[in-house]
Amino acid sequence: MPSERSGRTESDGTRDRNVSRREVLGGLAAVGSLAIAGCSAIPDLGGRRPVWRRDIDGAFMAGPPAVTDDLVLTGMQDKALYGLRREDGSTALRFETGGPIETRPVAPPSGGPYHVHSTDGDLYAVDSSGDELWRDEGTAHRARLVRTESLVAELDFAPPENTLTGYDPQTGDRRFELAVSSYLLDGLTDDSVVVRVPVSETESRVVSLSPSDGSVRWRTEPERWLPNVAADSRLVVAVWDGTLVAYEPSDGNVRWRTPIGDAGRTMVLGSQVYLTRNRADGHAELLAFDRETGEKLWANLAGYMIRTVETTNDAVFVGSRVDDPDGGILGRVDCFGRDGTRRWHTVTGLPSLDSLAVTDSRVVPAWDRGFEVLARETGETRWAYEPESHSRLSLRVESASVFASYVGDGAVARFPLD
């Protein structure tokens, strides 16, 4: 029978943390394991076992997974991209590149093509049969990929500066290439590519490009400060020297400006504009602003060092850290309504918190060697998992499943979410 975390849940969903991580993990020796056909045995903290686990022969390390309607796509250290069937983990395709694969592939929901960056520096497009569709030679050992319906964007981290290149997903034709100041691709939509572009060693600007050919749609004046930028199809926002500025996505006209002081270390667009701020007392808080006017709506404390913010239509979920009574840190999750009301907060048994995923019924906080599954409505911990091998994990969470790559084991598994 699945075990629950010790601790008390208040009527508002807030758990009174009265046990340490040592106590939480104390029952591990009593947890058994199950050998699944074709898969390794996987012990866990809460009785959950995978639907399947696939260990790839000769692949002692695995890259982060991408998931389509039919496949789990994962690159391996044996230089190959694998497409594993979602239902049972069997191999549907294998495509070999010129180097180990450490970057998450990108793909449409169905039909391909699938795109993957290899440490040989090249970007590959693979069709649904596992054959090479096109290949673009490069030099970057590390890169990040993002895809929309009509564009594949590769952010190349090779010195001397980051380079963003846009490709036609089907043909591989290069649509644009430019130096950027970004390390993330948070401004890519079907209608525009919004990035930070260096002007000089001390100045930068925000630029909006057409995804079809890379032509400049609009750009801001150069500023001395390096802005944080986020964009969706309805709004572009940037933080410049203590001011939150909103732009019209189509032409770059300024909609509003709001002074915010020392905030904006993390910025997320949802039903509202969310910014994080580290306070002088060591706590971190989340600030919410109206998308239409820029009015500050509310501010709420989380733990310290907010790591991730995930939004839905009616709520926002914040992942942060708190002190562990035994020493070290623990991950914390807060849920706020659109009006700023704290619906619940939960201190997890995770010794850190690096990411959050939210589905219709579950919230999945994770660190790089484990994850927990919480009830979305209450924050109650349903179950948790940490690999016996202590391998790092890379996750992709969907409505009914958690797909996990075991980075240090060269394996992939699918867990039931409920």
Side-chain angles (χ1 to χ4, degrees):
M1 181 175 179
S3 61
E4 297 291 346
R5 297 279 191 201
S6 301
R8 186 175 72 249
T9 300
E10 304 291 352
S11 59
D12 66 352
T14 299
R15 184 199 297 169
D16 179 16
R17 183 74 188 185
N18 53 17
V19 294
S20 68
R21 177 171 169 80
R22 183 181 301 123
E23 293 171 306
V24 170
L25 300 181
L28 268 175
V31 178
S33 63
L34 174 69
I36 300 174
C39 305
S40 300
I42 302 181
D44 57 51
L45 300 182
R48 291 298 192 274
R49 300 182 177 95
V51 177
W52 52 260
R53 169 168 164 159
R54 177 70 188 281
D55 291 81
I56 304 298
D57 292 339
F60 58 91
M61 293 186 70
V67 180
T68 74
D69 292 342
D70 303 312
L71 300 177
V72 184
L73 298 164
T74 308
M76 296 285 177
Q77 285 290 312
D78 67 353
K79 305 181 182 181
L81 173 69
Y82 287 82
L84 307 180
R85 295 180 178 90
R86 288 176 56 123
E87 295 307 311
D88 60 11
S90 60
T91 300
L93 68 86
R94 181 183 185 276
F95 175 81
E96 189 160 330
T97 71
I101 299 171
E102 300 174 352
T103 299
R104 191 185 305 273
V106 294
S110 62
Y114 315 122
H115 299 86
V116 62
H117 177 90
S118 173
T119 55
D120 65 2
D122 295 354
L123 175 64
Y124 296 82
V126 183
D127 67 20
S128 57
S129 299
D131 296 323
E132 182 177 311
L133 188 61
W134 54 264
R135 173 183 179 183
D136 189 63
E137 294 185 0
T139 59
H141 179 80
R142 297 173 54 247
R144 180 173 284 119
L145 296 178
V146 176
R147 175 175 174 151
T148 67
E149 185 175 344
S150 61
L151 182 73
V152 172
E154 180 184 59
L155 185 58
D156 182 334
F157 299 114
E161 54 194 359
N162 295 347
T163 302
L164 178 66
T165 306
Y167 299 88
D168 183 289
Q170 298 291 335
T171 66
D173 292 340
R174 287 196 180 198
R175 294 179 178 173
F176 58 84
E177 181 178 323
L178 75 160
V180 296
S181 304
S182 302
Y183 290 89
L184 299 173
L185 293 175
D186 295 333
L188 186 65
T189 71
D190 288 331
D191 302 317
S192 64
V193 180
V194 178
V195 291
R196 304 180 308 198
V197 175
V199 176
S200 67
E201 291 185 358
T202 59
E203 293 183 321
S204 64
R205 59 169 31 122
V206 176
V207 177
S208 175
L209 308 175
S210 168
S212 61
D213 59 9
S215 58
V216 176
R217 304 172 68 204
W218 56 265
R219 60 187 180 185
T220 65
E221 292 299 316
E223 296 280 353
R224 185 168 60 89
W225 306 96
L226 187 65
N228 289 335
V229 181
D232 60 23
S233 60
R234 297 181 293 120
L235 192 68
V236 177
V237 289
V239 175
W240 298 93
D241 189 23
T243 301
L244 179 63
V245 185
Y247 302 92
E248 170 63 40
S250 60
D251 56 19
N253 286 331
V254 174
R255 287 190 183 178
W256 46 260
R257 298 176 183 268
T258 300
I260 58 172
D262 183 21
R265 298 185 183 280
T266 299
M267 180 161 49
V268 176
L269 283 178
S271 57
Q272 297 161 340
V273 179
Y274 299 103
L275 298 176
T276 67
R277 173 162 58 197
N278 294 331
R279 305 194 331 174
D281 61 6
H283 290 92
E285 60 183 352
L286 183 72
L287 292 73
F289 299 82
D290 187 275
R291 288 180 62 113
E292 299 302 320
T293 66
E295 177 189 1
K296 180 182 173 181
L297 301 175
W298 51 265
N300 273 318
L301 290 176
Y304 64 86
M305 195 184 300
I306 291 176
R307 299 283 293 173
T308 181
V309 178
E310 291 293 326
T311 69
T312 66
N313 289 333
D314 67 334
V316 56
F317 299 82
V318 182
S320 61
R321 296 172 175 177
V322 293
D323 291 328
D324 183 346
D326 274 348
I329 57 177
L330 294 170
R332 166 173 162 164
V333 182
D334 289 79
C335 175
F336 302 104
R338 289 188 60 181
D339 62 356
T341 301
R342 191 189 309 272
R343 296 179 178 175
W344 52 261
H345 86 262
T346 295
V347 177
T348 72
L350 304 175
S352 183
L353 196 153
D354 301 315
S355 67
L356 277 179
V358 181
T359 74
D360 290 342
S361 62
R362 297 289 184 258
V363 178
V364 183
W367 73 301
D368 67 357
R369 299 181 192 275
F371 61 91
E372 290 192 10
V373 176
L374 314 180
R376 174 170 163 167
E377 293 302 315
T378 65
E380 179 185 6
T381 301
R382 309 304 297 176
W383 57 278
Y385 176 77
E386 292 183 0
E388 186 179 48
S389 67
H390 305 294
S391 169
R392 290 192 297 117
L393 300 177
S394 182
L395 306 183
R396 180 64 80 191
V397 178
E398 296 209 335
S399 59
S401 300
V402 177
F403 296 92
S405 287
Y406 293 71
V407 177
D409 294 344
V412 183
R414 175 188 172 190
F415 292 84
L417 192 53
D418 292 326

